[in-house]
Structures are given as C-alpha cells and as structure tokens.
C-alpha cells in the first residue's frame, strides 16, 4: 500500500549536511547505517568505513578532501542510499 511505502521512505531517509561543507559533514537519520562509502565525481572511492553506526547522527572529516562534488553511499538494513554533497573551502 502507499502508506507502507511512505512509512518505509520515512524510516530510511538520511540527511547529509552542511552542503557545501568545509570541515565536517554530518549524517542524520533513523535506523542503523551499516557502512559508508564516499566517492568523488570521478567514481574513485575516497573513504570507506565498515561501521556499523548505531546512532542516529554521526560525522566525518572532509577537511583533507579537494573542493568538488562527492557522493556518500549509506548501506542500511533497507538497502543503499546515495546522497550528494559538495566540499568548498
């Protein structure tokens, strides 16, 4: 049903902020994130952390990343979610 689809979407949504970022990027949402992977706009993996991240909010340091667009893949119990963020100093 549409209601169960909406409930699933609400239970798996993650927020990645700030955008653009200069030093720290925060990931916030419900549920457990099993692992994260960050790739640049060329598809090269910049960071991988096997986790798990049992808290609703965690952060990672992007201060050594070059300016540009990045994609963070969040692997959860419900599948993978990809969010985009920008590093700009």
């Amino acid at each position: 049903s549409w209601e169960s689809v909406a409930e699933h979407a609400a239970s798996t949504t993650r927020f990645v902020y700030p955008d653009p970022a200069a030093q720290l990027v925060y990931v916030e949402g419900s549920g457990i994130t099993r692992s994260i992977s960050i790739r640049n706009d060329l598809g090269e993996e910049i960071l991988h952390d096997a986790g798990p991240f049992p808290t609703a909010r965690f952060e990672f340091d992007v201060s050594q990343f070059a300016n540009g667009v990045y994609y963070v893949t969040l692997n959860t119990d419900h599948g993978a979610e990809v969010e985009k963020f920008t590093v700009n100093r």
Side-chain angles (χ1 to χ4, degrees):
S1 75
W2 285 109
E3 184 175 319
S4 63
V5 170
E7 288 172 3
H8 174 74
S11 69
T12 60
T13 300
R14 302 288 190 275
F15 300 98
V16 178
Y17 62 92
D19 188 19
Q23 181 142 357
L24 294 175
V25 170
Y26 299 92
V27 177
E28 190 168 332
S30 60
I32 295 174
T33 299
R34 297 288 176 197
S35 67
I36 65 167
S37 174
I38 299 175
R39 296 185 181 276
N40 63 17
D41 58 350
L42 300 175
E44 300 167 326
E45 188 171 67
I46 305 299
L47 179 123
H48 180 83
D49 194 327
F53 303 91
T55 61
R57 181 175 183 254
F58 57 92
E59 64 189 47
F60 50 94
D61 184 356
V62 297
S63 63
Q64 300 301 312
F65 289 21
N67 287 348
V69 176
Y70 294 86
Y71 300 89
V72 56
T73 302
L74 305 156
N75 294 299
T76 71
D77 290 337
H78 302 287
E81 298 177 45
V82 179
E83 299 291 334
K84 181 175 108 173
F85 69 93
T86 305
V87 172
N88 188 8
R89 284 185 278 302

